[in-house]
Amino acid sequence: MTTTSYTEASTSRFADLTVGGTGYRIHYNDIGAGTVVAMLHGSGPGATGWANFSRNIDALVETGHRVLLVDCPGWGQSSPVVCTGSRSDLNAEILRGLFDALGIEQGHVIGNSMGGHSAVAFALANPGRVGKLVLMGGGTGGPSLYAPMPTEGIKLLQGLYRDPTIEKLKAMMNVFVYDPGALTAEQMQMRLDNMLSQRLHLDNFVKSLAANPRQFPDQNARLHEISAPTLIIWGRDDRFVPMDVGLRLLAGIADARLHVFSRCGHWAQWEHADAFNALVAQFLDD
């Protein structure tokens, strides 16, 4: 039974971190108590930890976990950044810095899309500090062997960053999820308002792509180095990162299992929240 007694505002925290000689003010939400589960969001305009994982917090907290929702640099209330190197590595270093600041030696890491890429980078750089990994629609297993790259969804995402309008947001969300009819007009407007309130983040993302189009390096050759038990979750109908990329992660990571949701796009934790929550909770507690 859900006993939610927290809000986004009441769990909001900040940490001042230094990575590579640069200072970052990082926003995160800290909910619950127990084994740490850090959740890393995707790269969509207006994304935040809370927005990406609001349907999953209760299930993890109620099964005895302390949930950290991290806003990566360039998103939410965290510091702006023009990233000229690997975004995956930067986010991984931010997570390590946050663990250090909070006195956390080890935690599970859940990553969606860009968050999956960042979770893999964290596991490769800090093998002793990750318990288990959950990767959804990302993990830098390389480009799809079958779908044209960049994919339809990624092209729409980049177009939205350059020209953030409600029409372009709707066009992106129509391929982001399997059933766009489940998204309300109010949710769309809230997402647009969130994007427009952080115009510097939007502009910096475009500048970052111009400086380095390969923000998320292919780690396929290093996946065998990951020893953490890994749950890979994919939507069969993902039009942002095709399912064969998930198969490459499964082949490369030794202790990995794959779950595929039918009638599911790029947002499994939102589109199939109840089944996702049960699957992840069981995996983390096995």
Side-chain angles (χ1 to χ4, degrees), residues 37 84 189 212 241 255:
V37 180
T84 59
Q189 189 61 49
N212 176 22
V241 184
D255 188 1

Side-chain angles (χ1 to χ4, degrees), residues 174-210:
N174 278 342
V175 304
F176 191 69
V177 297
Y178 177 79
D179 179 15
L183 299 168
T184 68
E186 182 182 12
Q187 288 172 324
M188 289 284 198
Q189 189 61 49
M190 287 177 61
R191 185 64 177 257
L192 181 66
D193 292 343
N194 187 35
M195 290 163 44
L196 295 177
S197 71
Q198 299 283 356
R199 285 302 300 252
L200 184 58
H201 286 341
L202 302 182
D203 295 342
N204 283 346
F205 186 89
V206 175
K207 291 177 181 177
S208 298
L209 282 178

Side-chain angles (χ1 to χ4, degrees), residues 47-285:
T48 65
W50 188 274
N52 270 218
F53 299 111
S54 60
R55 292 188 171 186
N56 318 116
I57 303 168
D58 287 347
L60 289 170
V61 170
E62 291 168 6
T63 50
H65 298 93
R66 177 186 179 187
V67 176
L68 300 179
L69 307 175
V70 185
D71 288 355
C72 296
W75 280 270
Q77 298 180 62
S78 289
S79 293
V81 64
V82 175
C83 183
T84 59
S86 165
R87 181 90 64 172
S88 308
D89 290 338
L90 172 61
N91 293 341
E93 290 177 16
I94 289 293
L95 181 58
R96 181 178 60 195
L98 184 60
F99 274 17
D100 289 345
L102 298 179
I104 297 168
E105 181 58 33
Q106 186 184 84
H108 305 312
V109 184
I110 298 178
N112 168 227
S113 195
M114 175 185 75
H117 308 333
S118 305
V120 164
F122 180 82
L124 289 171
N126 309 278
R129 302 194 70 173
V130 59
K132 293 182 179 180
L133 287 176
V134 180
L135 309 175
M136 305 100 73
T140 52
S144 170
L145 298 177
Y146 306 106
M149 304 296 284
T151 58
E152 173 188 15
I154 295 300
K155 287 180 179 179
L156 290 170
L157 180 148
Q158 293 178 359
L160 179 59
Y161 266 107
R162 293 183 172 91
D163 184 17
T165 64
I166 191 66
E167 292 77 19
K168 291 198 172 182
L169 175 61
K170 289 178 179 178
M172 187 194 81
M173 295 306 291
N174 278 342
V175 304
F176 191 69
V177 297
Y178 177 79
D179 179 15
L183 299 168
T184 68
E186 182 182 12
Q187 288 172 324
M188 289 284 198
Q189 189 61 49
M190 287 177 61
R191 185 64 177 257
L192 181 66
D193 292 343
N194 187 35
M195 290 163 44
L196 295 177
S197 71
Q198 299 283 356
R199 285 302 300 252
L200 184 58
H201 286 341
L202 302 182
D203 295 342
N204 283 346
F205 186 89
V206 175
K207 291 177 181 177
S208 298
L209 282 178
N212 176 22
R214 296 181 62 83
Q215 292 277 304
F216 309 109
D218 178 359
Q219 297 286 9
N220 190 58
R222 294 192 61 197
L223 293 176
H224 69 279
E225 298 176 30
I226 296 176
S227 58
T230 302
L231 173 62
I232 302 162
I233 298 175
W234 230 266
R236 184 191 64 188
D237 309 285
D238 194 328
R239 294 157 74 179
F240 276 69
V241 184
M243 197 178 73
D244 69 289
V245 177
L247 295 175
R248 294 176 71 178
L249 293 172
L250 179 67
I253 300 173
D255 188 1
R257 65 194 75 175
L258 171 68
H259 184 95
V260 178
F261 284 105
S262 63
R263 298 185 177 184
C264 181
H266 192 56
W267 217 9
Q269 79 276 17
W270 191 91
E271 296 178 72
H272 294 269
D274 289 344
F276 173 92
N277 292 340
L279 182 68
V280 170
Q282 180 178 354
F283 171 70
L284 294 182
D285 291 338

Side-chain angles (χ1 to χ4, degrees), residues 17-24 90 93-94 96:
L17 309 177
T18 301
V19 171
T22 300
Y24 297 91
L90 172 61
E93 290 177 16
I94 289 293
R96 181 178 60 195

